[in-house]
Amino acid sequence: MSNILITGATGFIGGFIVDEALRRNMNVWVMLRKSSSRQWLSDSRIRFLEANLSSEDDLVEKMHDLQFDYVVHAAGVTKSLHREDFRRVNVGGTKNLVNALLRLKMPLKKFVYLSSLSIFGPVREQQPYTEILETDEPQPNTEYGKSKLEAERWLESVGGLPVVFLRPTGVYGPRERDYFLMAKSIKAHTDFAVGFKPQDITFVYVLDVVQAIFLAIEKGEPGRKFFLSDGQVYRSSAFSDLIRKELGNPWWIRITAPLWLLRIITFCGEYIGRLTDKVTALNNDKYHIMKQRNWRCDIGPACRELGFEPKYQLEEGVRLTIKWYKENHWL
């Protein structure tokens, strides 16, 4: 029976990775902080490893008598009040984990790193938009994207690490909180869009990301990098239209704001967040994400090399997501 270590398991995607590993009868180890919530980690088969990604020595101490065949590194900061947190966690935490594994001479068969399409930023923004390719030069314009790219490049430099990189586009599904805010707003009769220039958006359902992770474990060649989406391209209104449909078509007002107004709102959100010491949904990174017009990406290599086949198109994925929000009294 294979041993797998999963970081970030208390997060949105991580919990589903754990579920699939258990379904495959793997010995599942979850790395988390002592203070982390275990709300979605109630299965008695899960082994918990309380360790601190900010300390290489602590990781070595906690893992010294363990052996893993696979590591899925999904831990990371997606939003923060402090710019340095992105590098400290997304870059520093990755370095500490890998260095600890190397010091312990862990006999890894595969190390899967969950990166992001955000590392590319606003490339191929000229109309008509075309797919972002692996060969394109990344131009990250968010602190999150910059930190994930730096972590990727560092991992590439590590000799002998059998790492496979996955770069999903916008991931949605049950338990996800950012898209939930959109659903909550639509239920309250308001939809908010930004910018008047056409925007091509891509999505991927959380279980399709999980599918790709285990395909990468099975078939991914070390060093390879794969984009993940459902293979379709949508207009900016598609997601909110489907949410509204699943909510029973409540009356609504759709507000499309110019980018300069979004810049003011996110600037204020960032400032308020620093005053209250609470991360707001509308911050500087969010401005750049919403400003970006082209989110197309080429999933052909993932399909050909891994056998990746998206199972959930947006309509079905939104239906399942809203159903979960309702059943769990989020909506």
Side-chain angles (χ1 to χ4, degrees):
M1 193 178 288
S2 298
N3 298 324
I4 186 170
L5 172 66
I6 301 168
T7 72
T10 59
F12 158 51
I13 301 174
F16 290 99
I17 302 171
V18 171
D19 292 343
E20 179 62 17
L22 291 171
R23 192 189 70 79
R24 291 168 178 253
N25 293 317
M26 302 174 87
N27 291 320
V28 179
W29 290 87
V30 164
M31 181 179 290
L32 40 57
R33 297 184 303 273
K34 189 174 183 178
S35 60
S36 297
S37 170
R38 304 187 184 192
Q39 182 178 6
W40 312 115
L41 302 171
S42 59
D43 195 295
S44 61
R45 293 172 292 173
I46 298 172
R47 298 165 169 86
F48 293 101
L49 178 60
E50 293 181 358
N52 190 347
L53 279 172
S54 65
S55 170
E56 181 182 324
D57 289 337
D58 183 61
L59 292 169
V60 169
E61 180 184 345
K62 298 294 176 55
M63 296 191 295
H64 77 277
D65 59 348
L66 302 175
Q67 287 211 337
F68 304 116
D69 301 295
Y70 308 107
V71 173
V72 178
H73 186 35
V77 169
T78 59
K79 56 176 71 74
S80 177
L81 291 173
H82 309 292
R83 180 180 302 179
E84 59 272 17
D85 287 346
F86 291 100
R87 287 199 76 256
R88 179 178 58 81
V89 177
N90 296 348
V91 182
T94 299
K95 289 182 177 181
N96 290 333
L97 174 62
V98 170
N99 284 334
L101 292 169
L102 294 174
R103 281 172 59 183
L104 292 166
K105 296 181 170 55
M106 199 71 69
L108 292 180
K109 297 177 183 177
K110 208 67 61 69
F111 183 101
V112 179
Y113 180 66
L114 197 62
S115 186
S116 171
L117 179 59
S118 293
I119 70 167
F120 280 86
V123 302
R124 297 182 179 266
E125 291 275 274
Q126 296 77 28
Q127 297 184 61
Y129 306 131
T130 55
E131 291 178 336
I132 298 170
L133 304 176
E134 181 185 345
T135 53
D136 288 330
E137 183 65 28
Q139 303 172 25
N141 57 0
T142 63
E143 296 304 322
Y144 172 70
K146 292 173 185 176
S147 67
K148 296 298 276 189
L149 178 60
E150 185 176 347
E152 273 200 21
R153 287 177 169 167
W154 182 84
L155 286 167
E156 282 185 288
S157 73
V158 179
L161 183 69
V163 58
V164 178
F165 302 88
L166 298 179
R167 298 162 164 173
T169 184
V171 186
Y172 71 101
R175 308 177 195 166
E176 201 281 330
R177 292 188 176 275
D178 286 349
Y179 290 119
F180 162 68
L181 294 178
M182 183 187 298
K184 190 175 178 181
S185 177
I186 291 170
K187 185 179 181 181
H189 312 295
T190 304
D191 182 40
F192 185 75
V194 175
F196 299 101
K197 185 179 178 182
Q199 185 179 42
D200 284 359
I201 301 182
T202 52
F203 298 95
V204 61
Y205 190 65
V206 62
L207 293 184
D208 279 332
V209 175
V210 173
Q211 174 204 160
I213 287 169
F214 285 90
L215 286 170
I217 285 174
E218 295 167 4
K219 304 177 182 180
E221 287 296 321
R224 294 294 291 119
K225 302 166 184 173
F226 301 102
F227 295 117
L228 303 177
S229 79
D230 67 8
Q232 304 300 314
V233 179
Y234 304 93
R235 288 302 181 192
S236 56
S237 60
F239 199 86
S240 53
D241 286 342
L242 288 170
I243 290 174
R244 181 173 181 244
K245 175 186 173 184
E246 293 303 320
L247 291 175
N249 294 307
W251 67 267
W252 66 350
I253 299 173
R254 174 173 277 163
I255 301 169
T256 302
L259 286 171
W260 62 262
L261 180 58
L262 175 66
R263 175 72 281 188
I264 293 172
I265 292 171
T266 54
F267 178 83
C268 293
E270 187 87 9
Y271 181 73
I272 292 169
R274 294 183 187 281
L275 286 178
T276 60
D277 201 33
K278 292 182 179 179
V279 180
T280 61
L282 292 172
N283 51 45
N284 287 335
D285 267 14
K286 192 69 171 180
Y287 167 74
H288 292 293
I289 291 170
M290 296 180 75
K291 178 184 177 184
Q292 188 168 323
R293 299 289 96 181
N294 180 29
W295 291 93
R296 291 172 174 257
C297 58
D298 178 20
I299 67 169
C303 297
R304 291 189 299 272
E305 298 178 37
L306 300 180
F308 176 60
E309 295 181 6
K311 308 293 186 196
Y312 299 88
Q313 298 301 301
L314 192 61
E315 185 169 5
E316 174 67 1
V318 170
R319 184 186 70 80
L320 293 170
T321 301
I322 298 300
K323 180 174 181 286
W324 187 91
Y325 289 154
K326 289 178 177 177
E327 289 176 349
N328 288 271
H329 310 294
W330 286 31
L331 286 173

